[in-house]
Amino acid sequence: CIANKDQATVAHIGDTRLYHLRNNGILRRTKDQTELQKLLDEKVLTKARGKKYYRKNILLSVMTANREYELQTTSFTLEQGDRLLFSTDGAHSLVTVREIRDISVDSNTIVNFVKNLKSLIESKDIKDDYSVIGYEVKNE
């Protein structure tokens, strides 16, 4: 992700997610490149059945020198105070989008937001390594 004043451009492969938070709203700016996401898009599985799908972590596109991959790109506008959250599947599999949004709204700084989110994640039964990175737009 490159954030430049009032514009962000994202290049994405795999299942790490980028969430865009503004005020009380949250948007997912990336789409998982997984077998589960493909089956959800094709309406083969419902979201409820997808939660129990045994191959949900199978990646359809990964960056490697040995095979082709699909690079997703998108751009969007940023405003003062917007927050971006980069989250690996080990993190976003343990928290809901609503929990992410609520923690952001209740956290007065980006440092507190990430700290409070990590505390929630670490209170769960962690089964995978995880990473979260936060960024807040400050046009000074």
Side-chain angles (χ1 to χ4, degrees), residues 104-123:
S104 178
V105 169
D106 293 340
S107 301
N108 60 345
T109 67
I110 192 69
V111 171
N112 286 340
F113 170 44
V114 172
K115 180 179 159 193
N116 294 336
L117 183 59
K118 283 180 61 181
S119 291
L120 177 61
I121 292 165
E122 291 171 359
S123 74

Side-chain angles (χ1 to χ4, degrees), residues 15-66:
D15 62 354
T16 296
R17 293 181 183 171
L18 172 61
Y19 293 102
H20 179 193
L21 299 111
R22 178 179 293 156
N23 301 320
N24 289 326
I26 183 169
L27 294 170
R28 199 164 106 192
R29 294 296 187 172
T30 56
K31 188 171 194 173
D32 292 350
Q33 294 175 320
T34 61
E35 184 174 296
L36 172 60
Q37 186 63 55
K38 182 178 181 190
L39 293 171
L40 291 171
D41 291 347
E42 294 173 352
K43 300 195 184 335
V44 173
L45 289 177
T46 63
K47 283 186 181 181
R49 291 194 65 200
K51 289 181 182 181
K52 297 182 192 269
Y53 185 64
Y54 70 103
R55 291 173 48 95
K56 64 176 126 195
N57 294 330
I58 301 298
L59 294 171
L60 299 179
S61 187
V62 295
M63 188 179 291
T64 176
N66 299 329

